Amino acid sequence: SQTIHQWPATLVQPVGSPLSLECTVEGTSNPNLYWYRQAAGRGLQLLFYSVGIGQISSEVPQNLSASRPQDRQFILSSKKLLLSDSGFYLCAWTRIDNSPLHFGNGTRLTVT
Amino acid sequence: TQLLEQSPQFLSIQEGENLTVYCNSSSVFSSLQWYRQEPGEGPVLLVTVVTGGEVKKLKRLTFQFGDARKDSSLHITAAQPGDTGLYPCTGTASKLTFGTGTRLQVTL
């Protein structure tokens, strides 16, 4: 069966510090991978998606970047965090034929 | 990216009441998914509807896909506190974007 791992679960970082969140998927190959952010009490906002290694599409201009160095690894990064980067970050995957999304457990990021 | 509108945005009801929430778009979808998200967790898929006019039941939850495949509804019968959460929808044609979701609070 397929599983998705996302870490860390919580993170507190000062403004201006770098960020690296990692997501890996097991049990499938060539998944579509997604990063979403959810502000407190709000809906899911798509940040990045990837259909293959090295292929990244950005949905919203922002202080963040994403990379996919391996088929089942998706990384969300920032060089300098802003207060507005605080939120709940979720990684998700689908099969290449766009079946429903499967989410990780999320990372709650607080920028202080 | 097609826009998905969900209504109501917030709903607070008492245990035992019935409710219906909606997911609407001007675009046609080949399929539409409903999820439930509890605080601090990722969304979990509830159902996928594919055929226009389709009705699917999941215990006390009834999902309907509009005939034109542009909208969907979720009806909950005899709501329970365990139904509390966020209910976002997403359509395959615009599956990269979720609706803002309906936030449901069921109290005793």
Side-chain angles (χ1 to χ4, degrees):
Chain A
S1 63
Q2 300 87 8
T3 56
I4 180 169
H5 302 279
Q6 191 179 341
W7 67 92
T10 60
L11 192 59
V12 180
Q13 293 283 103
V15 168
S17 64
L19 172 73
S20 181
L21 302 180
E22 189 163 344
C23 172
T24 59
V25 180
E26 296 178 357
T28 189
S29 58
N30 299 318
N32 291 340
L33 297 172
Y34 306 82
W35 278 111
Y36 288 87
R37 178 170 61 197
Q38 188 174 35
R42 306 294 295 275
L44 293 158
Q45 178 189 34
L46 179 66
L47 301 177
F48 301 96
Y49 70 95
S50 173
V51 299
I53 296 174
Q55 300 179 58
I56 308 294
S57 295
S58 175
E59 289 294 303
V60 180
Q62 61 215 322
N63 185 40
L64 303 169
S65 62
S67 61
R68 185 170 177 174
Q70 301 180 40
D71 180 47
R72 290 170 290 177
Q73 183 185 29
F74 206 22
I75 298 172
L76 182 69
S77 303
S78 174
K79 292 182 179 178
K80 291 185 178 181
L81 284 168
L82 306 172
L83 287 174
S84 57
D85 291 324
S86 293
F88 191 47
Y89 288 82
L90 287 154
C91 180
W93 73 273
T94 64
R95 299 184 193 284
I96 200 165
D97 61 354
N98 289 330
S99 57
L101 288 152
H102 303 274
F103 286 87
N105 288 328
T107 295
R108 184 159 303 282
L109 171 66
T110 302
V111 182
T112 60
Chain B
T1 304
Q2 294 87 348
L3 181 64
L4 279 162
E5 296 183 351
Q6 290 191 248
S7 60
Q9 290 189 6
F10 302 98
L11 188 57
S12 181
I13 62 172
Q14 292 188 321
E15 182 180 19
E17 292 185 26
N18 301 332
L19 66 117
T20 302
V21 299
Y22 302 91
C23 175
N24 297 305
S25 176
S26 57
S27 302
V28 175
F29 299 108
S30 57
S31 69
L32 190 143
Q33 292 87 36
W34 284 93
Y35 295 78
R36 179 167 70 205
Q37 184 183 18
E38 299 190 18
E41 299 182 7
V44 175
L45 178 70
L46 294 175
V47 78
T48 298
V49 286
V50 178
T51 306
E54 179 179 8
V55 177
K56 281 192 173 179
K57 292 192 175 184
L58 185 65
K59 297 183 180 178
R60 294 176 294 101
L61 278 60
T62 302
F63 304 85
Q64 184 162 9
F65 201 13
D67 290 340
R69 291 186 285 125
K70 294 182 178 181
D71 53 80
S72 180
S73 63
L74 160 58
H75 181 80
I76 301 179
T77 302
Q80 300 177 359
D83 296 327
T84 293
L86 180 69
Y87 290 81
C89 65
T90 184
T92 295
S94 67
K95 76 168 297 126
L96 301 182
T97 303
F98 278 79
T100 54
T102 292
R103 191 166 298 279
L104 173 64
Q105 175 77 43
V106 182
T107 57
L108 294 172

